[in-house]
Amino acid sequence: MSCICILGEISIMAAQNFLWSFTKNCFTFGLIGLTISDRYASIVPVRGSSMSPTFNLTTDSFMGSLSDDYVLVEKFCLQKYKFSHGDVIVFCSPSNHKEKHVKRIIGLPGDWIGTPMTNDVMKVPNGHCWVEGDNPSSSLDSRSFGPIPLGLIKGRVTHILWPPQRVRHIERKNHENILSPS
Amino acid sequence: MAAQNFLWSFTKNCFTFGLIGLTISDRYASIVPVRGSSMSPTFNLTTDSFMGSLSDDYVLVEKFCLQKYKFSHGDVIVFCSPSNHKEKHVKRIIGLPGDWIGTPMTNDVMKVPNGHCWVEGDNPSSSLDSRSFGPIPLGLIKGRVTHILWPPQRVRHIERKNHENILSPS
């Protein structure tokens, strides 16, 4: 009788130990995942067609959010402060800080941007960059809200991860109508 | 073997607590020194250049305001400089989106655009702020200063202070 009681106690203690160490491990891995997602890389869906055909090639509104591309966003560029022409970046919208947008960097500080429609030439100020979408007809970008401060950039898109048939690396693509000092 | 176990579990604990500290500092609150005199007398009352960096005020910066998106007039905030994204500045929010800011020197009146705010230092004669670089996007804000923590004789809560020369719709 006492053997059964002792065995019962031992198995309850073993179960409690297991539960406690399982909880601790979940917590630690959750924290590691959160730190990685904040500081190094995360996976986000891309909405809208302003970056067609690079992202979201099909814009069928019925299948809309089911066919979003999921992309890998790396944040190492923020710690080394290295941005290049043609990088696709994620940034906080200057007109609504709760929203994030995805566009391509066309101009860096010191570049001269030409707008074909108005025949204006504009110099990108220090600490700012000029961004445009790959699909100019359906893109709200620097042609509307002007150059954005580099401090608004939240990460750089390197790969499409989903759907599987569209998995690939995102290449830098340079633009024709800028003059760059470098 | 007992020593190895102890060392291993000590390392694991250091790692976990380091990670917790990092997450708290990134997402909830951190302590930073304030340089310069653009916010005198609120921060850095003495500007003795010999004692310069030894007498910096250390302040508590909370980041809960970023998650609730709540900024108010008179908040002292930390933000990335719009002209150099590697630097951070500390100023007070004078105007929120939709406010009209008057500049006494030029007799201009300016409306703060959507998603932007107007910041100024408490020491206007020595402050590089929105009067030079214009309104800044709210997305550049990195946190809100709530308390001075060091030196001990200056420990106190930072109050909101409202400004005279703005017209606000609210």
Side-chain angles (χ1 to χ4, degrees):
Chain A
M1 187 69 169
S2 59
C3 280
I4 295 174
C5 286
I6 290 173
L7 282 175
E9 271 186 35
I10 291 176
S11 57
I12 288 176
M13 267 185 58
Q16 279 177 337
N17 276 343
F18 174 74
L19 210 61
W20 172 238
S21 101
F22 179 72
T23 309
K24 275 201 307 182
N25 284 339
C26 279
F27 176 75
T28 306
F29 283 116
L31 213 57
I32 292 175
L34 199 67
T35 304
I36 291 178
S37 162
D38 278 350
R39 291 183 147 235
Y40 301 119
S42 61
I43 300 178
V44 294
V46 176
R47 301 253 152 80
S49 57
S50 63
M51 287 291 288
S52 284
T54 312
F55 303 136
N56 290 359
L57 189 53
T58 57
T59 53
D60 182 344
S61 53
F62 175 70
M63 287 280 286
S65 54
L66 295 174
S67 63
D68 283 344
D69 287 352
Y70 281 74
V71 297
L72 182 70
V73 179
E74 64 96 354
K75 307 189 187 192
F76 292 101
C77 60
L78 300 178
Q79 300 182 352
K80 292 179 301 182
Y81 299 120
K82 258 182 73 57
F83 306 110
S84 311
H85 293 98
D87 276 346
V88 178
I89 51 152
V90 176
F91 59 95
C92 273
S93 164
S95 34
N96 184 352
H97 61 286
K98 304 179 197 185
E99 292 175 359
K100 292 198 185 130
H101 293 319
V102 179
K103 298 284 178 283
R104 198 179 290 268
I105 292 183
I106 303 299
L108 289 172
D111 291 349
W112 290 90
I113 304 287
T115 38
M117 277 172 283
T118 62
N119 283 339
D120 252 343
V121 194
M122 208 205 109
K123 187 170 184 181
V124 179
N126 266 343
H128 288 65
C129 63
W130 186 271
V131 294
E132 284 185 19
D134 289 348
N135 185 9
S137 53
S138 125
S139 166
L140 182 68
D141 50 32
S142 282
R143 294 167 303 159
S144 320
F145 46 68
I148 60 165
L150 291 169
L152 289 178
I153 297 178
K154 296 297 169 210
R156 189 170 68 95
V157 177
T158 51
H159 293 81
I160 300 179
L161 298 179
W162 184 269
Q165 66 269 23
R166 287 175 54 75
V167 170
R168 66 175 185 279
H169 181 68
I170 303 295
E171 299 302 326
R172 293 201 183 112
K173 241 199 304 186
N174 281 319
H175 221 238
E176 316 81 33
N177 67 336
I178 68 160
L179 294 162
S180 176
S182 58
Chain B
M1 248 190 74
Q4 279 176 339
N5 276 342
F6 173 74
L7 211 61
W8 171 238
S9 100
F10 178 71
T11 310
K12 275 201 307 181
N13 284 339
C14 280
F15 175 74
T16 306
F17 283 115
L19 213 57
I20 291 174
L22 198 68
T23 305
I24 289 178
S25 162
D26 279 348
R27 291 184 149 236
Y28 302 119
S30 60
I31 299 177
V32 295
V34 176
R35 301 255 151 79
S37 57
S38 62
M39 287 292 288
S40 285
T42 311
F43 302 136
N44 289 358
L45 188 53
T46 57
T47 52
D48 182 342
S49 52
F50 175 70
M51 288 280 285
S53 55
L54 296 174
S55 62
D56 282 342
D57 287 351
Y58 281 74
V59 296
L60 182 70
V61 179
E62 64 95 355
K63 310 189 184 190
F64 292 102
C65 60
L66 302 177
Q67 300 181 355
K68 293 179 298 181
Y69 300 119
K70 257 182 74 54
F71 306 111
S72 310
H73 293 98
D75 276 345
V76 177
I77 52 154
V78 177
F79 59 95
C80 273
S81 163
S83 34
N84 183 352
H85 60 286
K86 304 180 197 183
E87 293 177 356
K88 293 196 185 132
H89 292 318
V90 179
K91 299 283 178 284
R92 199 179 288 267
I93 292 182
I94 303 297
L96 289 173
D99 290 348
W100 290 90
I101 302 286
T103 37
M105 279 172 279
T106 62
N107 283 340
D108 251 342
V109 195
M110 210 207 106
K111 187 170 184 180
V112 179
N114 266 344
H116 288 65
C117 62
W118 187 271
V119 294
E120 284 185 22
D122 288 349
N123 186 10
S125 53
S126 126
S127 165
L128 183 68
D129 50 35
S130 284
R131 295 168 302 159
S132 321
F133 47 67
I136 60 165
L138 291 170
L140 290 178
I141 296 178
K142 297 296 170 215
R144 190 169 69 94
V145 177
T146 52
H147 293 81
I148 300 179
L149 297 179
W150 183 269
Q153 66 269 23
R154 286 176 54 74
V155 170
R156 66 176 184 278
H157 180 68
I158 302 295
E159 298 300 328
R160 294 201 183 110
K161 242 199 304 186
N162 281 322
H163 221 238
E164 316 80 33
N165 66 336
I166 68 162
L167 293 163
S168 174
S170 59

